[in-house]
Amino acid sequence: MSKLLNALLCGPARLGKSFCCFAPDPPPPIDYAGAAKQQGAANVEAARVQGQINNPNVVNPYGTQTVTWQKPTLDQDAYNAAKATWDSNQKAHMARYGVPIPEAAYKDGYRPPNQADYMVGGNTPTITQTFSPQQQALFDEGNKAKLALSQLASRGAGAAGDVIGKNVDFSGIPDMPGTAEETRQKVVDSMMQRVNEDYGRATDDRHSSLIAAGIRPGTKAYDDAMQLLQRGRNDASTQAWLAGGQEMSRDFNTDMERRRAAIADYLTQRQVPLNEVTALMSGSQVANPFSMPGYAQNANVQPAPLFAAQNALSQYNTDLYNARAANAGNLQQGLFGLGGAGLMAGGMAYSDRRLKSNIVQIGRHPIGVDLYEYDIFGRRERGVMADELAQIMPDAVLISPDGYQLVNYSMIGGRDGLSL
């Protein structure tokens, strides 16, 4: 019974694994480099197809538009060099082994060169546009008109050069106006001339009348009467200065406006030729009816998601492996649980040194290893150490699913060896 369970759990050595080892093989590693190359090729193909879809042949009332695609060409030098290298390797292999290089030895970069791998160029569109006779005539006339305007602008540019080539000269422009203080003084003098004359006569008359009335100079009555005359003169002087300030400002603004007008006229004479040339050069351009063909060039071709698919497949294989491994673990655990009673009944017991404590050597087992007493699983037992027994009798030692060593005591005559 114990030998059957031993073979069932551990399997014959020639099989290399237990019959109960139901764990599946792990999924193969993903070839990221290969997937990236395939994705790159898919991207190029998608770009090529998108370019062809977005560049159709056009036939409309304006004429025709034809798109042709350049074909790839063979890089003959690179292909010849790769072929020469392969032929040399093939010759050396024949000389050494007497047979050609087997296909089983072919791998990426080590195989006969294929011309398809040395094709370069291609996928470049050439767009040929042909106007209808009517559109061609309109196009030609538009170009003639544009040429005539350009020639006229060229002559205008020559004339403008005579103006632009000269420095700006404001020598003939009126000077900046001064403060116009002289103007104000003239106004004040003019307005105060009669006031001063009247003030002199009025002063003499008032003096004579006050003396006649017995009011002498130096008295308060005399001073008050004379101040009335002076106050009137002061008011007149103030009005004269205000009027002079207004006239001074008007004179200054008039001179400044005269200067501004002269500068504007001078600059206009310089700018007119430039404006004429600009107007001629900014005329409407000759339209090309094919610049926006009547076709929606917005098709977007997505490449096949090969790299993402490879990742998804790898994830699926990993999930599948994990599920199978879990099922195998459950099955193995159940089988071990069912057979545990038979194992223990047949003399199978845990004897891993890591599970034992208070170990005391008490003698020798007849099989040729030391005999011990120790505590294990809360009880005192007697037996051998599994690791020592494995050195002289490995068939009597098993590894449990939880990773600990067991000893088949039925194969070594029991714990004391008395059954040998």
Short mmCIF file of all heavy atoms in Angstrom, two decimals, residues 307-329:
data_model
loop_
_atom_site.label_atom_id
_atom_site.label_comp_id
_atom_site.label_asym_id
_atom_site.label_seq_id
_atom_site.Cartn_x
_atom_site.Cartn_y
_atom_site.Cartn_z
N PHE A 307 -0.08 44.23 -31.93
CA PHE A 307 0.66 44.24 -30.66
C PHE A 307 -0.31 44.10 -29.49
O PHE A 307 -0.06 43.34 -28.55
CB PHE A 307 1.46 45.53 -30.54
CG PHE A 307 2.49 45.50 -29.45
CD1 PHE A 307 3.73 44.94 -29.66
CD2 PHE A 307 2.21 46.03 -28.20
CE1 PHE A 307 4.68 44.90 -28.67
CE2 PHE A 307 3.15 46.00 -27.19
CZ PHE A 307 4.39 45.43 -27.43
N ALA A 308 -1.44 44.83 -29.56
CA ALA A 308 -2.42 44.71 -28.49
C ALA A 308 -3.03 43.32 -28.46
O ALA A 308 -3.29 42.76 -27.38
CB ALA A 308 -3.52 45.76 -28.69
N ALA A 309 -3.25 42.72 -29.66
CA ALA A 309 -3.79 41.37 -29.70
C ALA A 309 -2.82 40.37 -29.08
O ALA A 309 -3.22 39.43 -28.39
CB ALA A 309 -4.11 40.98 -31.14
N GLN A 310 -1.52 40.57 -29.34
CA GLN A 310 -0.52 39.68 -28.76
C GLN A 310 -0.52 39.80 -27.23
O GLN A 310 -0.44 38.80 -26.52
CB GLN A 310 0.87 40.02 -29.32
CG GLN A 310 1.98 39.06 -28.90
CD GLN A 310 1.85 37.70 -29.54
OE1 GLN A 310 1.13 37.55 -30.52
NE2 GLN A 310 2.49 36.71 -28.97
N ASN A 311 -0.65 41.02 -26.73
CA ASN A 311 -0.73 41.21 -25.28
C ASN A 311 -1.99 40.56 -24.71
O ASN A 311 -1.96 39.94 -23.64
CB ASN A 311 -0.72 42.70 -24.95
CG ASN A 311 0.67 43.30 -25.06
OD1 ASN A 311 1.66 42.60 -24.92
ND2 ASN A 311 0.75 44.59 -25.34
N ALA A 312 -3.11 40.72 -25.43
CA ALA A 312 -4.35 40.12 -24.95
C ALA A 312 -4.26 38.60 -24.94
O ALA A 312 -4.74 37.94 -24.01
CB ALA A 312 -5.52 40.58 -25.84
N LEU A 313 -3.64 38.03 -26.00
CA LEU A 313 -3.48 36.58 -26.04
C LEU A 313 -2.59 36.10 -24.90
O LEU A 313 -2.87 35.07 -24.26
CB LEU A 313 -2.88 36.17 -27.39
CG LEU A 313 -2.60 34.67 -27.57
CD1 LEU A 313 -3.88 33.87 -27.42
CD2 LEU A 313 -1.94 34.41 -28.92
N SER A 314 -1.52 36.86 -24.64
CA SER A 314 -0.63 36.48 -23.54
C SER A 314 -1.36 36.53 -22.21
O SER A 314 -1.20 35.65 -21.36
CB SER A 314 0.59 37.40 -23.52
OG SER A 314 1.40 37.14 -22.40
N GLN A 315 -2.19 37.58 -22.03
CA GLN A 315 -2.95 37.69 -20.79
C GLN A 315 -3.95 36.55 -20.66
O GLN A 315 -4.15 35.99 -19.57
CB GLN A 315 -3.67 39.04 -20.75
CG GLN A 315 -4.41 39.30 -19.44
CD GLN A 315 -3.47 39.36 -18.25
OE1 GLN A 315 -2.44 40.02 -18.29
NE2 GLN A 315 -3.80 38.63 -17.19
N TYR A 316 -4.58 36.19 -21.79
CA TYR A 316 -5.53 35.08 -21.77
C TYR A 316 -4.83 33.78 -21.39
O TYR A 316 -5.32 33.00 -20.57
CB TYR A 316 -6.20 34.94 -23.14
CG TYR A 316 -7.00 33.66 -23.29
CD1 TYR A 316 -8.27 33.55 -22.72
CD2 TYR A 316 -6.48 32.57 -23.99
CE1 TYR A 316 -9.00 32.38 -22.84
CE2 TYR A 316 -7.21 31.40 -24.12
CZ TYR A 316 -8.47 31.30 -23.54
OH TYR A 316 -9.18 30.14 -23.66
N ASN A 317 -3.66 33.53 -22.01
CA ASN A 317 -2.92 32.30 -21.69
C ASN A 317 -2.50 32.28 -20.22
O ASN A 317 -2.54 31.23 -19.57
CB ASN A 317 -1.70 32.19 -22.60
CG ASN A 317 -2.06 31.87 -24.03
OD1 ASN A 317 -3.13 31.31 -24.29
ND2 ASN A 317 -1.20 32.24 -24.97
N THR A 318 -2.11 33.46 -19.71
CA THR A 318 -1.72 33.52 -18.30
C THR A 318 -2.91 33.23 -17.39
O THR A 318 -2.80 32.48 -16.42
CB THR A 318 -1.13 34.90 -17.99
OG1 THR A 318 0.03 35.12 -18.83
CG2 THR A 318 -0.70 35.00 -16.54
N ASP A 319 -4.06 33.84 -17.72
CA ASP A 319 -5.26 33.59 -16.91
C ASP A 319 -5.65 32.12 -16.98
O ASP A 319 -6.05 31.52 -15.96
CB ASP A 319 -6.41 34.46 -17.39
CG ASP A 319 -6.16 35.95 -17.16
OD1 ASP A 319 -5.27 36.26 -16.35
OD2 ASP A 319 -6.82 36.78 -17.81
N LEU A 320 -5.58 31.54 -18.18
CA LEU A 320 -5.93 30.13 -18.34
C LEU A 320 -4.97 29.25 -17.55
O LEU A 320 -5.38 28.28 -16.89
CB LEU A 320 -5.90 29.75 -19.83
CG LEU A 320 -6.32 28.33 -20.18
CD1 LEU A 320 -7.76 28.08 -19.75
CD2 LEU A 320 -6.17 28.08 -21.68
N TYR A 321 -3.68 29.59 -17.61
CA TYR A 321 -2.70 28.82 -16.85
C TYR A 321 -2.97 28.91 -15.35
O TYR A 321 -2.92 27.91 -14.64
CB TYR A 321 -1.30 29.34 -17.17
CG TYR A 321 -0.23 28.85 -16.20
CD1 TYR A 321 0.24 27.55 -16.26
CD2 TYR A 321 0.29 29.70 -15.23
CE1 TYR A 321 1.21 27.09 -15.38
CE2 TYR A 321 1.24 29.26 -14.34
CZ TYR A 321 1.71 27.95 -14.43
OH TYR A 321 2.66 27.51 -13.55
N ASN A 322 -3.27 30.14 -14.87
CA ASN A 322 -3.54 30.30 -13.45
C ASN A 322 -4.76 29.49 -13.02
O ASN A 322 -4.78 28.88 -11.95
CB ASN A 322 -3.75 31.78 -13.13
CG ASN A 322 -2.47 32.59 -13.26
OD1 ASN A 322 -1.37 32.04 -13.16
ND2 ASN A 322 -2.60 33.88 -13.50
N ALA A 323 -5.81 29.48 -13.86
CA ALA A 323 -7.01 28.71 -13.53
C ALA A 323 -6.70 27.21 -13.48
O ALA A 323 -7.14 26.50 -12.57
CB ALA A 323 -8.11 29.00 -14.54
N ARG A 324 -5.95 26.73 -14.47
CA ARG A 324 -5.62 25.31 -14.50
C ARG A 324 -4.71 24.94 -13.33
O ARG A 324 -4.84 23.86 -12.75
CB ARG A 324 -4.95 24.97 -15.83
CG ARG A 324 -5.92 24.99 -17.02
CD ARG A 324 -5.20 24.72 -18.31
NE ARG A 324 -6.14 24.63 -19.43
CZ ARG A 324 -5.75 24.51 -20.70
NH1 ARG A 324 -4.45 24.46 -21.00
NH2 ARG A 324 -6.66 24.43 -21.64
N ALA A 325 -3.77 25.83 -13.02
CA ALA A 325 -2.88 25.55 -11.90
C ALA A 325 -3.66 25.48 -10.59
O ALA A 325 -3.39 24.64 -9.73
CB ALA A 325 -1.79 26.62 -11.82
N ALA A 326 -4.66 26.38 -10.44
CA ALA A 326 -5.47 26.35 -9.23
C ALA A 326 -6.27 25.06 -9.14
O ALA A 326 -6.36 24.43 -8.08
CB ALA A 326 -6.40 27.56 -9.20
N ASN A 327 -6.85 24.64 -10.29
CA ASN A 327 -7.60 23.39 -10.30
C ASN A 327 -6.70 22.20 -9.98
O ASN A 327 -7.08 21.28 -9.24
CB ASN A 327 -8.27 23.19 -11.66
CG ASN A 327 -9.39 24.18 -11.90
OD1 ASN A 327 -9.98 24.69 -10.95
ND2 ASN A 327 -9.70 24.45 -13.16
N ALA A 328 -5.49 22.22 -10.54
CA ALA A 328 -4.56 21.12 -10.29
C ALA A 328 -4.16 21.08 -8.82
O ALA A 328 -4.03 20.01 -8.22
CB ALA A 328 -3.32 21.27 -11.17
N GLY A 329 -3.96 22.30 -8.23
CA GLY A 329 -3.60 22.33 -6.81
C GLY A 329 -4.72 21.79 -5.94
O GLY A 329 -4.47 21.03 -4.99
#
